[in-house]
Amino acid sequence: SQQGEEDPQALSIQEGENATMNCSYKTSINNLQWYRQNSGRGLVHLILIRSNEREKHSGRLRVTLDTSKKSSSLLITASRAADTASYFCGRREGSARQLTFGSGTQLTVLP
Amino acid sequence: DTGVSQNPRHKITKRGQNVTFRCDPISEHNRLYWYRQTLGQGPEFLTYFQNEAQLEKSRLLSDRFSAERPKGSFSTLEIQRTEQGDSAMYLCASSPSGLVDNEQFFGPGTRLTVL
């Protein structure tokens, strides 16, 4: 079964607005990786944040990590219609090499 | 394109048939992962290889599933006696090894439909 959740399950915003998605988890992690998935496609890697990091940026993306609250957030600034996709956080937990995913957030950006 | 590739992209089969999928990881990535994703859910881990060694298998990987990576490069995932519940997207990912955590890069997936 999948551990942790992305929140909200669905988010609809207007183009130009910011979108924030959250990811909570239950066990200690080594790193957390955010991915984007367009319908019917594979996952595109966005950002990796390690357990000793608190914030990372990449273009319009900002990821934060709070290990005390076991949560991470992905902020997309100045959203575009092309940002419409599902967003997943994958956690590398303990000594495992694989990632554990939640059910994702479906983001819709309206033009 | 030097990303992860998967073949075929789509497979439709009848219940009870065997199917085999192939994954070619990014060159020089010695870690390779298989995941399964059903509609509306995130990927679920199936199995992991480091070079040719299969180091971990999920309990999701029933005895009808087998994966190989014979030369430590491409990998195959075979499902025997397919069932309708096997219908899903099968995703492959690869990453380099090292002391530092590395990103896992995913392929486009193989969508399996079992009729």
Side-chain angles (χ1 to χ4, degrees):
Chain A
S1 64
Q2 296 169 336
Q3 302 293 313
E5 296 180 1
E6 285 90 341
D7 170 59
Q9 288 187 324
L11 178 62
S12 184
I13 59 174
Q14 293 293 135
E15 206 164 27
E17 294 181 337
N18 296 343
T20 299
M21 288 157 272
N22 302 297
C23 169
S24 62
Y25 55 91
K26 298 178 181 178
T27 63
S28 63
I29 62 168
N30 292 287
N31 71 56
L32 188 148
Q33 305 185 37
W34 282 92
Y35 292 85
R36 182 185 74 234
Q37 185 178 38
N38 291 91
S39 181
R41 303 289 188 94
L43 277 70
V44 174
H45 192 275
L46 298 176
I47 291 182
L48 179 154
I49 188 164
R50 296 184 172 85
S51 59
N52 61 352
E53 297 174 318
R54 291 297 167 258
E55 187 171 314
K56 289 189 84 168
H57 298 253
S58 177
R60 295 183 295 112
L61 307 180
R62 188 184 86 163
V63 167
T64 61
L65 178 64
D66 187 335
T67 53
S68 67
K69 295 181 179 178
K70 291 186 167 56
S71 68
S72 174
S73 66
L74 169 66
L75 169 67
I76 304 174
T77 59
S79 63
R80 305 167 181 168
D83 295 328
T84 294
S86 292
Y87 291 82
F88 295 92
C89 71
R91 287 93 55 195
R92 191 182 153 224
E93 299 175 340
S95 61
R97 284 289 169 191
Q98 68 270 20
L99 298 176
T100 301
F101 292 89
S103 299
T105 293
Q106 172 61 52
L107 173 67
T108 302
V109 181
L110 302 169
Chain B
D1 187 345
T2 57
V4 178
S5 62
Q6 293 186 246
N7 287 289
R9 295 290 305 278
H10 303 273
K11 179 70 177 178
I12 300 174
T13 191
K14 292 183 179 180
R15 189 177 55 184
Q17 297 295 304
N18 299 345
V19 293
T20 300
F21 311 139
R22 175 177 170 128
C23 170
D24 288 87
I26 293 172
S27 180
E28 298 178 356
H29 279 193
N30 53 11
R31 290 184 178 144
L32 187 148
Y33 311 79
W34 284 99
Y35 293 82
R36 181 175 70 185
Q37 185 180 25
T38 53
L39 199 60
Q41 299 298 314
E44 294 179 294
F45 169 72
L46 292 178
T47 190
Y48 151 61
F49 290 85
Q50 176 147 332
N51 299 312
E52 66 276 9
Q54 188 174 18
L55 296 185
E56 192 157 347
K57 292 194 291 186
S58 162
R59 57 189 168 84
L60 291 176
L61 211 67
S62 76
D63 56 6
R64 295 185 298 105
F65 288 69
S66 63
E68 294 182 340
R69 195 182 182 198
K71 298 182 180 179
S73 56
F74 73 91
S75 175
T76 58
L77 177 68
E78 181 183 17
I79 308 175
Q80 295 183 326
R81 303 180 305 282
T82 52
E83 302 173 355
Q84 288 184 325
D86 297 331
S87 294
M89 174 81 89
Y90 289 83
L91 295 162
C92 176
S94 71
S95 69
S97 62
L99 296 176
V100 181
D101 281 337
N102 289 298
E103 295 89 344
Q104 287 188 23
F105 295 96
F106 281 77
T110 295
R111 180 165 295 285
L112 173 65
T113 302
V114 181
L115 302 176

